[in-house]
Structure formats: structure tokens, C-alpha cells
Amino acid sequence: MNRSVLIVTVLVMLAAAASATTFYFVHANTPASSKISEEQRTTREKFFGTAKELLPIERGQEMRPRW
């Protein structure tokens, strides 16, 4: 009983250390400021398009491109 408790405790501590390390590295890789300048925003919208919803699919319109 004493040995199994020790093994479980060590495994729990290893799991907590691995989780903390993963959280630290993921958090460290996020950019400090997610706000972008107006120039970057307009360039992004020009390249990717705006964030507006797409028009509904018309009746009989196909989803796949015609090749």
C-alpha cells in the first residue's frame, strides 16, 4: 500500500509538471498584442476577404467548381 501510494504520487507530480511546462510554452508563444494596425487590417481584408457572412446558396447552385 505504501509503495503504490508513492508511485501514484510521483506519477501525479510528473503529470502536473508536464502540464505546467506545456502551458508555459504555449502561453509563451502567443503574441503579446493581438491588435493589428489599420494598414495590416486592410491588407488582410484585401487578401483574405472580409469577415462578412457569405450569401446563401441559390436554388440549384452547385457547391463544387466546374472544371
Side-chain angles (χ1 to χ4, degrees), residues 1 4 13-16 18-19 22-25 27 36-37 41 45 50 52-53 58 62 66:
M1 175 84 177
S4 62
M13 290 175 61
L14 285 173
S19 296
T22 303
F23 179 75
Y24 173 75
F25 282 120
H27 188 65
I36 57 174
S37 68
R41 181 175 286 117
E45 286 179 359
T50 59
K52 297 178 184 176
E53 290 188 25
E58 297 177 11
E62 295 184 20
R66 293 185 177 181

Side-chain angles (χ1 to χ4, degrees), residues 2-51:
N2 194 14
R3 187 176 212 168
S4 62
V5 171
L6 178 66
I7 292 172
V8 169
T9 305
V10 169
L11 289 176
V12 167
M13 290 175 61
L14 285 173
S19 296
T21 304
T22 303
F23 179 75
Y24 173 75
F25 282 120
V26 168
H27 188 65
N29 289 338
T30 58
S33 176
S34 62
K35 295 184 179 185
I36 57 174
S37 68
E38 191 63 33
E39 181 182 357
Q40 289 173 330
R41 181 175 286 117
T42 55
T43 305
R44 179 180 176 190
E45 286 179 359
K46 189 184 296 182
F47 186 77
F48 291 109
T50 59

